[in-house]
Amino acid sequence: MASEWDTHTSLTATGDGLFGAELDPGWVVGGGVNGGYLLGLIGKAIAETVPAKPHPLAVSAYYLSASTPGPAQVSTRVLREGGSVATVAAELGQEGATRITALATYGDLRAMPTDVGTTATEPTIPPIEECVPGTMAPEEVRRIAPLMERFDLRFDPACVGWAMGAPSGNGHIQAWFRMADGHEVDPVGLLMVCDALPPVTFDLGRPGWAPTLELTVHVRAVPAAGWLKVSHRTRNVAGGMFEEDCEVWDSAGRLVAQSRQLAMQPRG
Amino acid sequence: MASEWDTHTSLTATGDGLFGAELDPGWVVGGGVNGGYLLGLIGKAIAETVPAKPHPLAVSAYYLSASTPGPAQVSTRVLREGGSVATVAAELGQEGATRITALATYGDLRAMPTDVGTTATEPTIPPIEECVPGTMAPEEVRRIAPLMERFDLRFDPACVGWAMGAPSGNGHIQAWFRMADGHEVDPVGLLMVCDALPPVTFDLGRPGWAPTLELTVHVRAVPAAGWLKVSHRTRNVAGGMFEEDCEVWDSAGRLVAQSRQLAMQPRG
C-alpha cells in the first residue's frame, strides 16, 4: 500500500524536467503549506530527473512566497551531471508565481564510503512512553495545523513548557519522530523531517509564525528503519532574524541529516 | 586608496545583470582559486544588481568546477524584489563553463531591528601576540597558497598542531583575522572570510584538498572595525564527506556571520 507521503508527493512528469503536483491540504500550517513538505516535493522531482543519483546530499531552498493547497508545478534543470554527483536547479510554482527556488547536489548514499567519524553527540530524549505526544495539542492548535496529523511526534517533556505557557527559554525543541501511518522515511523524506517540528522560537516564548528565508539540508546517510530523533536549536536570535539548526538521528545512532535555516523572528 | 579586496573584486557591468571580472592569481590555493573569493565576487555582483538591498542575508553556493586565474563572468537574475528583501540567482562562469551557481537573499542590515539575543559563545582565543601568524607557514606551503598573503591570520596555538605534524584531532581551527592591507571587511567580504582558513580536516591529520560541494553563509550584522575572530568546526566526518561550520565574531563581540559547508573528505 502506498504511504500517505508517497500519495501526497506524487508527481506527473510532463517532460523537459516539468512535473505537475497537487499540494495536499493536510500539510497546511497557519497561513501556508509547510515548507518541509514543499522541499520534499522538489526533492522527489530532482530524484526523478537524475535517477542514477537518487539521494539528496545538499539542498538549499529560498522561500519567495507562501503556497496554498491545490495545483503546483515543479521544474528542474540539470546544471552538471558527471562522476558521482549531479547538481540541479529547481523551482516550485503556483499560478505563474515562483514559491520556492532551490539548488541541489544529488548522489547515491549507498555508494559512498562507509566511514563514520561523527563527534556530534546523539540527543538524549527520555523513552518514547515518557514523552508528550503531539496528539495532546489543544484542538484549536490542531485545527490551524493539520500538518501535525501527518506525524507521530513524542516531545521531550523538558522542551514543551511552551505548550503550557512556560517556555524553557533555551531555544531547544526535540522529539521522537515517525510518520503517522508508520511508513519509513527515506533520504528525500528527510528534507521534510528537517522542517516538521514547531519553530524553535516557541521555546523562547514567541509562538508566532516564523517565515523561513532559506533552508539548507545535508543528507548524510540512508536512515535505518524505526523512530528518528529530531533536535532543533537556535543560538543567534538577533537583528530580527534567527538561525535554526536541526539534526536528525536514526534508530542506529547515526546522524543522518543536518540542516540550518534562516528565518524571520515571529512578530509580537 | 582602494583596498586590495576592492581591486581584486572589481566588476565591469555590461548590462542585463552581466559583469566581467578578472580572477586574480593572488587567490590561488593548490589547484584552484579560493571559493570564498569567488563567492565574494558573486556577492558584490548581486549587491550591484539590487543596490537598495546592499547586504547578503543568506547566500548558498554550489561549486561545479574549479576556477583558474583570468577572465570570468558573473550573471545575476532577480527572482523577487519586494518589501525589505530581494532574492537573486547568480552564476560565475569561465570559458562557457559554469564554475559556481548560487542563490541569495539580500537586504539592508542597517535597517534591521537592533535586538541581540545571541546565546552562542564567543570563541576564546589567546591574545593576538601569543598566536601563531600565518606568515610562519613553510615556504613550500606559501608557494602553493598565495591566498595566505591576502590575510593577516593569527592562529590559536591550540589549533595549529597540524602545522607541526601533531593535529589535535578535535576538528577545530580558530584564528584572529584581518586583511593583510589593513582594510576593514564589509558584509560582502564576510562571504570570503567564511572560507579563508585551511580546511578543518587539517586538524584531523588530513592535510589534503577538501573540495566544497555547497557553502551557505548567513550574514547577521555589519562587522565593527578591527580584528575578527574566525572559528571552524566539524562534527560529522562520515560517508566520505564532512560538514564545516564557521562563525565570525567582530571586535564588538557580535556574531556577524555563520556558515556551513558540505565538502568531500581529502583523499589519503
Side-chain angles (χ1 to χ4, degrees), chain B residues 133-145:
Chain B
T135 49
M136 282 183 64
E139 176 57 29
E140 67 268 24
V141 169
R142 297 175 64 184
R143 196 164 45 235
I144 62 164

Side-chain angles (χ1 to χ4, degrees), chain A residues 163-258:
Chain A
M164 281 78 80
S168 82
N170 294 325
H172 180 214
I173 294 181
Q174 59 184 14
W176 295 97
F177 178 101
R178 65 177 179 183
M179 301 305 288
D181 68 0
H183 277 265
E184 300 297 337
V185 172
D186 66 9
V188 168
L190 287 174
L191 302 177
M192 172 273 293
V193 175
C194 286
D195 200 30
L197 267 59
V200 75
T201 37
F202 279 28
D203 191 48
L204 298 174
R206 305 183 62 175
W209 185 49
T212 302
L213 295 175
E214 179 269 332
L215 169 62
T216 294
V217 182
H218 297 169
V219 177
R220 299 297 300 277
V222 177
W227 285 91
L228 300 170
K229 285 178 178 174
V230 183
S231 170
H232 288 260
R233 276 182 202 280
T234 184
R235 302 185 313 126
N236 194 18
V237 180
M241 301 178 283
F242 68 102
E243 105 290 18
E244 180 167 328
D245 281 3
C246 172
E247 292 182 359
V248 183
W249 294 72
D250 73 5
S251 61
R254 185 96 187 255
L255 177 50
V256 293
Q258 290 172 284

